[in-house]
Amino acid sequence: MAVRSGAEIQHALSRFVAKWRTYQGSERAEAQTFLNELYAAYGSDRTEAGAKFEHFASSAGFMDLHQPGVLIVEMKKPGRDLEEAADQRRRYWQESSDPASDTPAARWVIACNFHEFEIWEPGRFPNHPRARFTLDELPDHYDALLFLQSESIEPVFSEHRRELTTDAARHIADLYRSMADRGAAPLDEIQRFTMQLVWTLFAEDLGMLDGYPLQQLVERLLREDDPDSARDLGYLFRLLNQKGDQNRRGIYAGTRYVNGELFAKSDAVYLTRDELLHLKRASEFDWRQVNPTIFGSLLEGVLGDEQRASLGAHYTHEADIMKIVTPTIVRPWRERIEAVATSADARELLDELCRFRVLDPACGCGNFLYVAYRELRGLEAELKARVASLAARDGLAAPKDLPYYPLANVQGIDIEQVAVQIARVVLWMGHRQMVDRYGEAEPVLPLQDLSAIRAADALRVDWPETDAIIGNPPFLGSQLIRENLGDEYIDWLSKRFGVGVRDLAVYWFRLAHDHLGSGQRAGLVGTNSISQNRGREASLTHISATGGVITDAVSSQKWPGEAKVHVSIVNWVKTPATRPARYFLNDVEVESITPSLREGRSGTVAHPLAGNSDRAFIGVSLHAGGFRLTADEAAGLRATEKAVVRPLLDGRDITQSTRQAPSRFVIDFQLRTLEDAARFPQTLGIVRERVKPERERNNRPLYRAYWWRHGEPRPGMVESLRTLTRQIAATRTGKRLFMSWQSTEITVSDAAVVFAFDDDYSIGVLMSKAHDAWAWAQSSTLKGDLRYTPTTAFMTFPWPDPVSGAQRAEVAEASRALYARRSELCIEHDMGLTKLYNLMDEGAFRDLAALHQRLDEAVVAAYGWPKSIAQDADALVSRLTERNREIAEGERPYAPFAKAGTSGASDSVPASEPDIAH
């Protein structure tokens, strides 16, 4: 199953709850269906995860579900008290280990009666559940069960109260927008004033300021006929920046010195009566229950960009943040904590933990830093308990005056000053909340110094020394950088990094890796271009080539929010002293992970093969709509100037037309000189009228100089097709890679790919599973669709070297039979290839599926490989990668087309008049 984001899990769990809310049957009747569907909501398959029903008989009976080393589930019928399961779950857990197979006791135990859940971690907390909630509350507590998605992901046990957080933020947003709309003060002052209000509301409910001075002031102001909020609130905020007890009388008696730079500038903003009412409503929430992670995201969406109208657009689910924080911070530290053997060693490890620094160089509102800080405080508590237990075991007194993990060890950089303000407030809020959760730490007042979170362009400044790097760099495609950041920035990026212009996230990956020391770790979210083509070369391949080892990754996942992008999540360690013990790719344990974010050797990179040159091209780019003709125009012009009035084929014609035929016409002078083009006066006249004026305004000199030609006429392609009577055209983007024969009298647009072959053997190889699997491995993707790139997919593809003419002939015959049957079915059922193959996937057209299998087996036979891997994408990519290496390193001779010819009599079909779809 595909890896699911936090938002997708919540959505699936909402459907799960709706189905099971009214269930009142027995435990035995539906428990297995219930658990299968619960796993599925997390994007997992129970059987693939290794979880078994009624497994492992213990003294308490058979477990309802057992995932060895990970999970035990004890189900009860609806209405049963979960406390009745206490003895069973305890004995199940105690007896679930198996020393013979080196299987430890399950880490997690769930007790469930269909309508209530208890989550236990008996190895660490034997006397209290980590979480307890109802079925209806499950979507809001989804991250307490993240181990159902993957054992590699650490669950989160925290009260989200998203609805409360959202409502509170909405009132703050209304207040902010009202002030901004009427220009109550300069925008930066309004932003700072808003953050001062937010922290004060929080501090009042958490007992950091006694007597609720802000709320009292607001209520008093609302009773006045002409309230002067700038005077009264300004005085309060100035007082919060003063040391000593002077002036702290009356409603100000419970105030304290806050510092932390939050009130260093005490902005006096006048509020209207309506705005004071917004503030009063905001103060009525229980700010102790506000989740800083969600709240900070909401505020960033309001304060950081006026055009983000939807609250919550930037909320990053903790399930997704934990895919970085767990492997980069939690798991390595927990392994060290569990391995420590003496109280003295544990005490030294605690000192090291409290020196551990975390940097987010694109910190935004501080979500990643907040979660990292929370988890590090949890690790601190675990390690202190370990110190005490080891001391007790050895008869020693428990050490005193143990250190705390300092808030100042979290570091951040963000280009937006308002984001930095929000991040600091989020962390100050989190600091106070963690005191309630884990006990006393460093003082919460005065506020701890968070100057290590600063406003700057992270690509232009030096990063602070740190021990781990996490974060979510900006999603900005390479094609948008010039538009958003300007020519000067583009030039600077090219000079600074020396890798050309790539998606912006790529540069964060390079800087993060180069900034790490040996044994240090990083985890970043990037657009999925980082694992593809040019982006991969500049980021993950660079990391792999300079000592980085990718330990955990998600190759592609939808990212929530308005960006609507697919991302890759990558965690790595730099030059580790020993090989990492475990690797997880897409929530599945694997042997190792490549820079392409596939299973395999980390150093594996596909090399371009010179023998593949001049065979694959992206189609022509017009760069002017005036070349296109209506059907009536084309009919008239083809009567006299047919040579330059050509059918135009794009990807949709291949996928939707029953005959894969072009549906439009275009004027195409190809590489003709202007003198030669003048021999076609009617078409040249059209181009002069429709195209030339547009080209004269174009920034590219070549487009202006050769105004009668297409912007990118692909001279290499024209030359390679010169001796052929037909060409292979393929879809450039889509869920599938489709090939089709086309006459060379057809112009193929840049929405398709052209292969310069006209023999059945070659199209057979290109239609095979081997080439398809390689294309998906080496091309980029666009929102989950394949985006075929000849430079990486074709130029690196190692063609077979058949040992006999019979093998070649079998591939050619299989491809002819497949293509003929495919064409018959399209016409017979009046449908294009997309509909045809969707039906085939659902079980229709079994003869067509059998012909594909025949072709796939013929192609792997030509490679000399077993038929058993003919449709196994992973096995094919692995073998093709090794074949690519052998060829690139000169271990294997390679002349893939020497024997093929391009128009052998038994292997080629002459082209007919181009078919035009109507």
Side-chain angles (χ1 to χ4, degrees), residues 569-580:
I569 302 174
V570 186
N571 300 271
W572 73 95
V573 57
K574 186 172 183 178
T575 55
T578 58
R579 187 179 188 273

Side-chain angles (χ1 to χ4, degrees), residues 8-38:
E8 291 172 313
I9 294 171
Q10 278 194 317
H11 183 67
L13 286 174
S14 296
R15 296 196 304 268
F16 175 82
V17 169
K19 174 178 177 178
W20 291 98
R21 181 179 286 125
T22 58
Y23 179 70
Q24 295 295 333
S26 69
E27 165 206 341
R28 186 168 297 277
E30 294 290 353
Q32 294 185 3
T33 302
F34 180 89
L35 292 173
N36 278 333
E37 292 180 2
L38 183 60

Side-chain angles (χ1 to χ4, degrees), residues 5 63 166 220 235 267 339 348 382 485 488 500 527 655 743 776 809 917:
S5 68
M63 302 176 187
T166 304
R220 188 176 77 184
Y235 179 76
D267 298 302
E348 288 185 13
E382 288 180 36
L485 301 178
E488 182 181 340
T527 49
T655 59
S743 164
W776 278 95

